[in-house]
Amino acid sequence: MLNDVLEALHAQGGSLGRAIVKSLTVDADRRMVTVHIITDRAFSPAEEASAKRALRPFVPAYFELTAEIEKLTPDARMVEKKIADILAASSKAVSATMSEGDIAAEKVSGGFSFVIRVLPMFKSQTEDIAAKVTDALSKSFCGSFEGKCEISSKSVDDLEVKREVYEPSYKMPVRRFKIRNFSCIDSSAPIDTAVYMADMNSAEGTFSICGVIQDVQERTYTNKRGIDKPYYSYRLSDTTGQVYVTVFPKTRSLNAVQSLKTGDSIVITGAFELKNGISRFNSSSIDKGMMPLNFVPEERMSRPVPVAYHFVEPQPFADFEQHDFFTDHSVPDCLKDNEFVVIDIETTGLNATPVGGRMDAILEIGAYKVKGGNICESFTTFVNPERRISEEITKLTGITEEMVADAPTSSQVMPDLFKFMYGCITVGHNIVNFDFNFLEHYCAEEGYILDRRMIDTVDLAREQIPGLNNYKLNTLADYFNISFNHHRAVDDALVTAKIFIKLIKQRGSLPRLS
């Protein structure tokens, strides 16, 4: 089927002659099919219409069809990075024995040629490796690809063996505040202190929380004797976090519990659990009580920076586009005097908080360090989400369950990421409203508190380039004439880093940090 679709597209010639189908989206409710096409050439509205006509026979008549074309011209660095990803997913033993410089790609007429240097022990697999890589590249980029494997002069004995570095043990401290105006409903004695909701996953045993009711729902259940009984679901906040609590009132306290409403402040005693990504507090008693007047949360102490990297090692990075004779190399002092980590993530979904639903997981991290105004280091990895990946997410990102099966988990990656980000200002595209919530949550689960100094390139671009139709990443990339493979964290982060540098050079100073 896909081969037939490509053949129909290629038959249109012009910019569609080497096009590939990036993804297909079906909206059953609206009866809409959207086909996303990538080409390496400029295209016209007439060719978009041609693409739609070519695809129409493959789509049921009762569905509307939209063909969206995107121009993507990879550079050698993008192809080399893609080859490394392909090997990491399909030939793990080969990937593990390679070092920087073992993959080289070169742009040629109509596409790219590449060379992969492997150890002598993989001599019998060279043709198979080259064929796998060629096939995967052809599905990812436009143009033709031709490559080979060469036998490296290195041997197994030349591989650097890293010694395991053990991190000192650490227990996350739990913050508490003094409860004000405590009044008993269930408890027989006053309760003095409450645990910060933000620290509940570090607290042990039975403890109390205190917060303002944001929402309350009354429901009923049928007990063993067939009698309907009321119970209450509360959403509480103490300004450091939120949690849902279910209370089954005792007979003697039913009237007092029924009178509680949104805006009241209560104390719940029980035990915390995080199950299937959902925060729950299993209550044993409910009372009245308030947070301190003008409550200002005590700053949370972070776990110390890890001694070493254990699962993801940053790699040196050189952006050769930054070094040409026609580029203004002047760097404003604000770029010289600060270090930045530009980051992007792909996730299993859009739920960026564990309150009231299962927190989505991180699938991929792409991060680049900017120092002295140049991109100098990369931190890139898949993350095993330890759950299923939906078809919609795979279509959007191209990330499959097979690609993340052998990747490190969030608990393994976050200490390395915290070490990479430590002391830097965080930069991202729409980072304040999305990415940072995930990073902060999963780092905090391991005891690491991220620096909240942030720059969002969406806001920065709106300020510096007024009048654009939108401020999506691909729109800004087109504005600055930067090509990339959208919807992959590694590529999105790199393009964001390039855009960030250009915007700050244009501005001459840092914006107000979020």
Side-chain angles (χ1 to χ4, degrees):
M1 174 68 170
L2 179 58
N3 290 335
D4 294 337
V5 171
L6 289 175
E7 186 177 340
L9 277 177
H10 295 166
Q12 306 304 308
S15 67
L16 301 175
R18 294 203 301 254
I20 62 172
V21 175
K22 179 182 179 182
S23 63
L24 181 146
T25 304
V26 179
D27 187 335
D29 294 334
R30 297 171 57 199
R31 292 192 176 183
M32 172 71 75
V33 173
T34 303
V35 182
H36 304 273
I37 301 167
I38 293 177
T39 177
D40 59 348
R41 301 175 183 177
F43 56 90
S44 64
E47 287 173 312
E48 286 186 303
S50 294
K52 187 173 179 179
R53 286 194 298 271
L55 295 169
R56 184 70 262 185
F58 299 96
V59 177
Y62 51 86
F63 275 88
E64 291 187 38
L65 170 65
T66 300
E68 295 185 354
I69 305 179
E70 175 185 355
K71 181 184 176 184
L72 173 62
T73 305
D75 57 25
R77 170 63 187 172
M78 289 175 62
V79 174
E80 289 169 357
K81 182 65 180 67
K82 186 65 179 180
I83 292 172
D85 291 343
I86 294 166
L87 293 174
S90 64
S91 304
K92 295 179 178 61
V94 175
S95 177
T97 58
M98 298 182 71
S99 59
E100 187 180 6
D102 286 336
I103 300 173
E106 181 183 4
K107 190 168 182 62
V108 296
S109 177
F112 286 84
S113 66
F114 64 85
V115 175
I116 303 171
R117 298 176 185 86
V118 300
L119 295 185
M121 61 188 292
F122 300 113
K123 184 176 181 179
S124 62
Q125 303 176 37
T126 54
E127 290 186 7
D128 182 54
I129 293 169
K132 283 182 179 179
V133 170
T134 300
D135 181 60
L137 288 174
S138 298
K139 293 176 180 177
S140 301
F141 300 117
C142 301
S144 59
F145 294 87
E146 185 176 308
K148 62 181 180 179
C149 288
E150 292 182 349
I151 304 302
S152 172
S153 58
K154 295 185 298 185
S155 67
V156 175
D157 295 334
D158 297 324
L159 296 178
E160 181 182 349
V161 179
K162 295 182 180 178
R163 293 183 177 181
E164 183 67 23
V165 177
Y166 293 96
E167 301 289 344
S169 61
Y170 179 80
K171 187 173 181 178
M172 191 70 180
V174 177
R175 297 168 295 173
R176 290 176 167 83
F177 59 77
K178 190 171 181 61
I179 297 172
R180 180 171 60 91
N181 296 343
F182 182 85
S183 174
C184 293
I185 294 179
D186 282 338
S187 300
S188 57
I191 298 172
D192 293 329
T193 60
V195 167
Y196 282 35
M197 290 182 189
D199 296 359
M200 287 170 55
N201 59 344
S202 301
E204 298 177 351
T206 299
F207 58 90
S208 299
I209 58 174
C210 174
V212 176
I213 299 174
Q214 306 295 310
D215 183 60
V216 57
Q217 300 289 332
E218 180 179 352
R219 298 181 174 88
T220 60
Y221 72 99
T222 305
N223 66 12
K224 293 180 180 179
R225 291 181 291 175
I227 301 174
D228 288 342
K229 294 279 189 177
Y231 71 96
Y232 298 86
S233 295
Y234 299 100
R235 178 165 60 89
L236 300 180
S237 171
D238 67 356
T239 74
T240 73
Q242 294 188 80
V243 67
Y244 277 88
V245 182
T246 300
V247 173
F248 295 87
K250 301 175 177 63
T251 301
R252 67 175 184 273
S253 58
L254 178 58
N255 289 337
V257 173
Q258 283 180 324
S259 68
L260 295 172
K261 59 187 182 301
T262 300
D264 288 344
S265 186
I266 59 175
V267 177
I268 304 286
T269 301
F272 168 79
E273 69 172 357
L274 183 64
K275 188 174 182 181
N276 296 327
I278 302 176
S279 303
R280 298 189 186 280
F281 191 76
N282 298 322
S283 64
S284 57
S285 66
I286 181 170
D287 300 284
K288 291 185 177 181
M290 306 175 74
M291 294 179 291
L293 279 172
N294 303 317
F295 176 54
V296 178
E298 174 189 342
E299 186 175 345
R300 189 173 186 179
M301 295 292 292
S302 177
R303 189 171 183 167
V305 181
V307 175
Y309 293 102
H310 293 272
F311 291 92
V312 184
E313 188 86 26
Q315 299 297 318
F317 181 86
D319 181 12
F320 296 105
E321 291 184 12
Q322 299 172 138
H323 305 289
D324 61 72
F325 295 111
F326 305 101
T327 300
D328 180 7
H329 295 298
S330 60
V331 177
D333 289 341
C334 61
L335 281 179
K336 293 178 183 177
D337 298 340
N338 295 281
E339 291 188 22
F340 308 85
V341 166
V342 186
I343 192 165
D344 188 84
I345 61 173
E346 300 298 341
T347 65
T348 59
L350 301 178
N351 186 14
T353 171
V355 177
R358 193 183 192 198
M359 176 84 173
D360 277 302
I362 297 174
L363 286 176
E364 184 186 22
I365 297 172
Y368 293 85
K369 187 165 290 185
V370 176
K371 189 175 181 179
N374 291 319
I375 306 170
C376 62
E377 245 184 328
S378 66
F379 181 103
T380 61
T381 184
F382 284 123
V383 182
N384 187 334
E386 301 181 285
R387 67 184 73 177
R388 297 291 303 273
I389 301 174
S390 69
E391 291 183 9
E392 291 77 14
I393 294 299
T394 294
K395 288 177 181 177
L396 178 66
T397 65
I399 300 173
T400 65
E401 292 180 357
E402 291 75 19
M403 293 166 69
V404 301
D406 296 324
T409 62
S410 172
S411 62
Q412 294 170 326
V413 169
M414 289 304 149
D416 289 343
L417 179 63
F418 181 76
K419 182 175 177 67
F420 184 72
M421 295 178 68
Y422 185 74
C424 297
I425 297 171
T426 305
V427 180
H429 203 70
N430 199 32
I431 191 168
V432 174
N433 298 321
F434 188 75
D435 299 59
F436 196 81
N437 292 345
F438 284 93
L439 299 171
E440 187 172 47
H441 172 81
Y442 285 109
C443 277
E445 278 199 338
E446 307 309 315
Y448 299 104
I449 308 304
L450 289 176
D451 188 333
R452 292 189 63 84
R453 295 178 300 160
M454 284 177 280
I455 296 174
D456 198 317
T457 49
V458 174
D459 297 332
L460 185 58
R462 284 195 179 111
E463 174 197 291
Q464 292 302 119
I465 321 172
L468 291 182
N469 290 333
N470 61 66
Y471 292 87
K472 295 178 181 179
L473 193 58
N474 57 337
T475 302
L476 294 175
D478 287 344
Y479 179 85
F480 286 114
N481 197 28
I482 301 171
S483 298
F484 75 114
N485 182 22
H486 196 19
H487 291 310
R488 283 295 305 275
V490 171
D491 304 301
D492 286 6
L494 180 56
V495 169
T496 302
K498 294 179 179 181
I499 290 171
F500 167 68
I501 291 171
K502 289 179 182 294
L503 289 171
I504 294 299
K505 284 184 176 181
Q506 181 177 319
R507 193 179 196 275
S509 62
L510 296 184
R512 182 178 179 180
L513 302 182
S514 299

